[in-house]
Each structure stands twice: as structure tokens, then as C-alpha cells.
Amino acid sequence: MVMIEFPYAAVILMIVGAIGGLLQTRPIDKILMLAVLGDGLISMIAAYQYLDVAMASSFMTFVGIIIIMIGLIRTLEIKKARGELF
Amino acid sequence: MFEEYIIAIVSATVLGLILRLPILPDKPMRNSWMISIIFPTVILAVGFFAIFNYFKVYNNIYTAIIIGIFSAVFSKFFLERVFPKPEIGEQA
Amino acid sequence: MNEIIAITIGAILSWINFVIIDIWMGLPESPGVRGAEAIGKSIENRGGDLGGGYFSGNIVCSPDASAGTLLASCGYYAFGSPEGGLIAALFVYFGNRICADPGYAGTTGALSATILIWAATYIGINPQNFIVGMLLAALTIQGIYHPYSSKLIGKMARKMNRKVIKD
Amino acid sequence: MIEETIIAGIIIYMGLRLFITQDSLERMPYLNVINFGVAAIITLKNPSPLGVVTSMIYFIMATVAANAIAFTINKIKEIEHGND
């Protein structure tokens, strides 16, 4: 019976996040792949029982993603108001 | 074991009735934002007391009464300020 | 081989729990936030049902009864007693209020899952079977093929009188 | 041990499928399944009260982030194609 250790899955998540973030072209897809990379990193940290590091990085990663989202929306609105988008 | 939970629920309910909280929310009950006794005051009281019940030191009757009073006061005065109701069309 | 049967029973129980409570609390009726509406329209464009699409979008955008079931079984497994489920209900309520949702579905799901796990320990199904079972249940709704699962959810919602409200 | 195998298999499958898919709104349910799996593995690896608190905080913050990502995809589509 085949057994899969969990860190292999976390490594695959991190590779998917990194290569997917390189290959995508739109900014929103890059940030979604950044979320996948953060998932892999947090699960790898928590699988080796550094729970305080996992808790702090789960706060900081996702709050950072929300702040990047607000900045992205503001940037696109300013570009549209100047007429540079099309 | 279960008596302290019942005491916390009764304490929260009595102080909620004194503070004039409604018993049930408005009639399309699954999407009303009204704060009432059965939701979320009782849920808050049971959840807060479960944290204290895990540490075996503070699981007595007086803690249950204080938790009930605290949850009723919290849901009456502070819940709208801590977690405000969203505007129309606002995100998280 | 006994564990596989236990995981299967846990998956079936948690699937029934979260689907029934989510439909009963009106998730297929209307999208709560704008992102859920976009996900529902996207699933409908790919050949699915609109009510099932709103269901999937609401599960993605706020912790509903699926998150309540998962976190209640996690709390029961870690604390070793039903207190973990009650604490999970408290956390799910706070998370629901952060995500702009009234929070009825999450807390009801967490409390009913706590009762269900407490009853299931007497027939030999442990909480870790429920954790893996909830993951399998979420996989069948969100991960396999979206048009089929959304059509199934739409059929169940029409049977339980929770149709899409059009305005 | 079999629980860990099942969770790792589901996460690998969802990661590869998220890598292949091109529609950005179709990726969101797959990301949700990955969040479920990570929240499950944190508790299964650390069966203690701190572990379950970490799992709850992770899941709620990940859901808030997914909410923000879905909102932003909708908003960008409105900005690019005109709000109609």
C-alpha cells in the first residue's frame, strides 16, 4: 500500500505557486498563485510543529494579500480615469 | 459537568431580558442582522464558558454567572462596534 | 481495512450535515457578497445551475456550515471532549461577522456537527475520520466537476423550497 | 497514517488541477479545497489546543483573503469591460 508523506504535498504546492506565478501574465493571477505559495509554506511550517511561526505567518500573509488587492483596485481605477488602460 | 453550561445560559437569558434584547430575530430569520437572545447571546455564553471549562480550575458556578453577564453586556453594547454591519455593496 | 469503512461513514455523515444545513439556511437563494455572485455566474456559464453556483460561491467567500463541520471535528479531536466543538462555534461566528455574513449557517453547522460526532463515537467512529471525511465531502462539491455538482445542489434546493430569488 | 495519505493526495490533485486551469474564477473552488486540506493537516499533525487554534485562525484568514480575491476579480472585470 502506497503511503504519501505530507511534506511532498507541501513541496508540490510551493512549486505550483512559484512556477504558476511566473507563467501567468495578469496581476490578479499572480497574486492568486502567491496565495497558493503561502498555503504551501504555512503547511510545511506547521507539519514540523513550529506553531507560533505558522500562526504569525498566516496573519501576515493574508493581511498582506488583502492590502495588495486594495492597491491593485486603486491603481486600475487611476489608470482608467487617465485613459491609459486601453 | 453540564450544570455550569445551563447556569451560564440562564444568566445570559435573564440579563438579556433585563436589557430588553428581543428573544428571536426578525421573521425571515436566515438573513436578518438583529441581535437577539437566542442568537448570538447564548452561543457567546456557551463558547466563552467552554474555554474556561477546559482549564479545570475555573469551572465553578460563579464563573458561569460572570460569563453570562459579560456575554449579554457584550452583545448588547459592544458587538455592533466590534463587528459592524456591512453597507450595501461593500466587500469584507 | 476497518479505517476505510469508518472514513466512508464519516464522509457520508458530514456531507449530509453540511449540505442540508447550508441549503436550509438559504445559501442557494442569493449571493451574500459580490465575489459569490461572480463565481455563481461563472459556473452557470460553464453549463451548471445558478443556485448551485451561488452555493459554491458562498462556501468560498465565507465560512459556512462546511467550515463549521471541519473546525468542530478538529476541536473535538484536539480537546478530546465536546468543548472543542463549542469553541469552534464561537470562532466560526467571529469569522462570519468579519466576512460580512449574519453567521447562522456556520454556528448551526458547528453545533449540529458536535452533536453528530458525540453520537458517532459510541459506534466506533473517531473524530479524525470526520476530519478526513469532511475534506472528501468538500472535494465532491467543489473539486470534481462543477456542472454536475451544481445541478445536484440545484435539484436538492428546489426540493427543499429554496429557489433562486430573482429581482 | 492513511488519513495523511488521503489528505496529501487530495492536495496534490487540487494543486495540479489549479495549475492546468486557465479561467481565474474556476480556480477559486480549488483554492478553497486546498485551504480545507491545510486546515485539516495542521490539526492532524498537532493534536493540541494550540494546534486547533492555529488551524482556526489559518482557515478564517484564508477565507477572508479568498473573499478579497473573488471581489477583486469581479471588480477588475467591471473596470475593464465597463460597469453594466
Side-chain angles (χ1 to χ4, degrees), chain C residues 90-130:
Chain C
L90 184 68
F91 271 80
V92 169
Y93 175 68
F94 285 160
N96 261 322
R97 287 306 284 257
I98 291 172
C99 285
D101 203 14
Y104 293 93
T107 50
T108 313
L111 294 177
S112 71
T114 306
I115 297 172
L116 198 61
I117 296 164
W118 177 74
T121 49
Y122 287 106
I123 58 172
I125 300 174
N126 295 321
Q128 61 262 33
N129 302 131
F130 271 93

Side-chain angles (χ1 to χ4, degrees), chain A residues 1 3-4 6 16 20 24 28-29 32 36 39 43 46 49 51 55 59 62-63 66 69 76 80 86, chain D residues 1-2 4-5 11 24 27-28 31 35 38 41-42 46 54 58 61 64-65 69 72-73 76 79-80:
Chain A
M1 188 157 188
M3 289 290 177
I4 308 175
F6 181 71
V16 163
Q24 302 292 329
I28 180 71
D29 293 333
L32 197 146
V36 178
D39 283 349
S43 62
Q49 296 160 6
L51 286 177
M55 200 181 291
F59 264 109
F62 295 120
V63 172
I66 293 170
M69 286 301 163
L76 283 178
K80 174 148 190 182
F86 299 109
Chain D
M1 195 60 199
I2 185 150
E4 190 179 343
T5 303
I11 286 178
S24 60
R27 285 193 183 120
M28 296 306 296
L31 186 63
N35 289 334
V38 174
I41 202 69
I42 289 175
N46 316 292
T54 307
Y58 167 77
M61 295 309 289
V64 175
I69 289 174
T72 309
I73 291 173
I76 284 175
I79 287 175
E80 285 180 349

Side-chain angles (χ1 to χ4, degrees), chain B residues 7-83:
Chain B
I7 288 171
I9 290 171
V10 168
S11 164
T13 307
V14 168
L15 196 67
L17 285 178
I18 292 174
L19 288 176
R20 296 173 186 277
L21 283 171
I23 293 177
L24 285 176
D26 283 339
K27 202 46 191 169
M29 205 180 283
R30 58 185 176 270
N31 41 17
S32 79
W33 283 85
M34 181 181 283
I35 289 171
S36 62
I37 285 177
I38 196 162
F39 190 91
T41 309
V42 171
I43 309 281
L44 287 180
V46 169
F48 280 129
F49 187 71
I51 298 176
F52 282 91
N53 198 10
Y54 177 71
F55 307 105
K56 299 297 181 191
V57 183
Y58 296 110
N59 52 358
N60 49 14
I61 299 175
Y62 308 107
T63 311
I65 295 174
I66 291 171
I67 289 293
I69 291 172
F70 169 72
S71 64
V73 170
F74 179 76
S75 64
K76 172 73 178 176
F77 294 110
F78 299 111
L79 191 61
E80 287 288 336
R81 295 183 194 173
V82 179
F83 301 116

Side-chain angles (χ1 to χ4, degrees), chain A residues 21-35:
Chain A
L22 280 178
L23 292 183
Q24 302 292 329
T25 54
R26 302 172 67 211
I28 180 71
D29 293 333
K30 282 179 188 293
I31 299 170
L32 197 146
M33 288 299 175
L34 181 66

Side-chain angles (χ1 to χ4, degrees), chain C residues 24-163:
Chain C
W24 183 49
M25 285 299 171
L27 262 72
E29 279 182 340
S30 65
V33 289
R34 306 264 292 276
E37 187 179 358
I39 292 174
K41 294 279 177 58
S42 165
I43 290 181
E44 194 193 13
N45 285 333
R46 277 183 278 126
D49 187 70
L50 188 59
Y54 284 166
F55 186 86
S56 285
N58 276 321
I59 286 179
V60 171
C61 286
S62 68
D64 283 315
S66 52
T69 310
L70 178 76
L71 294 182
S73 51
C74 282
Y76 203 113
Y77 174 56
F79 281 82
S81 63
E83 296 151 3
L86 304 176
I87 297 171
L90 184 68
F91 271 80
V92 169
Y93 175 68
F94 285 160
N96 261 322
R97 287 306 284 257
I98 291 172
C99 285
D101 203 14
Y104 293 93
T107 50
T108 313
L111 294 177
S112 71
T114 306
I115 297 172
L116 198 61
I117 296 164
W118 177 74
T121 49
Y122 287 106
I123 58 172
I125 300 174
N126 295 321
Q128 61 262 33
N129 302 131
F130 271 93
I131 295 174
V132 185
M134 184 58 224
L135 187 58
L136 284 170
L139 177 71
T140 58
I141 295 294
Q142 306 264 9
I144 301 290
Y145 187 57
H146 292 155
Y148 288 164
S149 62
S150 67
K151 277 175 189 169
L152 175 64
I153 295 297
K155 195 178 295 179
M156 285 181 67
R158 258 176 261 114
K159 194 163 292 184
M160 287 177 68
N161 198 10
R162 295 281 189 271
K163 282 176 271 190

